[in-house]
Amino acid sequence: MAKAKISKEEALTIHENLQRTKELSNLAKRMLAVNLMLESIGENSHREGLLETPERVTSLYDEIFAGYSQVPKDILGITFEDEKHQELVLVKDIPFYSHCEHHMVTFHGIAHVAYIPNGKVVGISKLARLVDCFAKRLQIQERMTSQIADTIEQVLNPRGVAVIIEAEHLCMTMRGVQKFGAKTVTSAMRGVFLEQHNNARTELMNLIK
């Protein structure tokens, strides 16, 4: 299928209108964008079932893109330094939903987050919150995996960090190649987990499996 094209005149009109929308609030911008999208696909944005759709979508975006209003390092800000635990800590099967930045379509799956403390531990719920923080943004899975690992490494300075994410991308299953059920697995290893043959890496993989 050929890609849709617009004329130079339409492109100029879009640019001019975008300049005008800078004066609008974020709420108004979203509602306007939804109305324009509805009309562009041939819908009647004034019919009963769609009258409140722009407002609903705006509220939805506040929730599914909440990660932009969060500071990742702050999530791990409260640590416990009196604990002397130096063994593997793993939170596995953390469910998440995110959105592919290329098509703004959902990808979802589970994340496994592990670290080996080096004098600092953090509440385990904070690891799940960190996953959500990065998931609730426009993302690619590879970057999200590294961002989670890098944040843990920077804040906790552990002996090692490992993040493994397994996800299904709807931009690959509901469109394009349409390979339903295909999963993408990404990993980010830091510190001792980078060593191919060590007890920490072996223990991690056994626990995940």
Side-chain angles (χ1 to χ4, degrees):
M1 180 182 296
K3 291 185 177 180
K5 295 182 179 180
I6 61 174
S7 66
K8 291 183 178 179
E9 291 76 14
E10 286 178 315
L12 181 61
T13 300
I14 291 172
H15 176 74
E16 291 173 347
N17 286 329
L18 283 174
Q19 296 304 309
R20 295 191 189 100
T21 61
K22 288 183 178 180
E23 300 175 4
L24 299 176
S25 67
N26 287 335
L27 175 65
K29 287 178 183 178
R30 291 183 210 169
M31 295 183 69
L32 173 61
V34 176
N35 272 303
L36 290 173
M37 179 62 71
L38 289 171
E39 292 180 8
S40 74
I41 62 174
E43 262 292 358
N44 174 12
S45 61
H46 299 292
R47 69 177 176 85
E48 183 180 15
L50 295 176
L51 281 177
E52 296 182 13
T53 295
E55 186 175 351
R56 294 190 189 101
V57 173
T58 295
S59 296
L60 172 68
Y61 273 26
D62 284 337
E63 182 176 347
I64 65 177
F65 294 124
Y68 286 113
S69 63
Q70 297 176 302
V71 179
K73 291 183 179 180
D74 289 351
I75 295 174
L76 303 179
I78 299 177
T79 59
F80 305 96
E81 300 186 27
D82 290 337
E83 301 298 328
K84 304 303 180 185
H85 187 79
Q86 295 185 346
E87 304 300 327
L88 176 68
V89 177
L90 167 65
V91 182
K92 60 184 290 188
D93 298 331
I94 303 170
F96 74 88
Y97 286 84
S98 189
H99 284 76
C100 165
E101 67 180 31
H102 300 141
H103 300 95
M104 292 185 70
V105 178
T106 303
F107 69 93
H108 64 97
I110 56 173
H112 311 296
V113 180
Y115 74 103
I116 298 178
N118 188 24
K120 287 184 185 177
V121 297
V122 68
I124 56 176
S125 67
K126 300 300 188 289
L127 298 178
R129 291 183 186 277
L130 185 64
V131 171
D132 275 346
C133 174
F134 285 115
K136 291 185 176 182
R137 304 178 180 198
L138 292 176
Q139 278 288 12
I140 62 171
Q141 184 176 332
E142 298 90 335
R143 181 174 64 227
M144 175 179 158
T145 308
S146 294
Q147 286 175 328
I148 296 168
D150 289 342
T151 302
I152 295 172
E153 184 175 43
Q154 292 164 11
V155 176
L156 300 183
N157 191 30
R159 292 172 53 216
V161 183
V163 178
I164 299 174
I165 293 179
E166 178 180 338
E168 180 177 358
H169 292 247
L170 296 191
C171 60
M172 184 175 165
T173 60
M174 65 184 290
R175 60 165 296 283
V177 294
Q178 298 184 359
K179 298 301 182 184
F180 179 78
K183 298 290 178 63
T184 299
V185 179
T186 52
S187 68
M189 303 285 178
R190 307 285 187 269
V192 297
F193 289 110
L194 283 173
E195 302 170 14
Q196 292 289 337
H197 304 290
N198 65 21
N199 293 333
R201 190 184 183 99
T202 301
E203 180 183 6
L204 170 67
M205 300 313 295
N206 287 338
L207 288 172
I208 289 176
K209 292 177 181 179

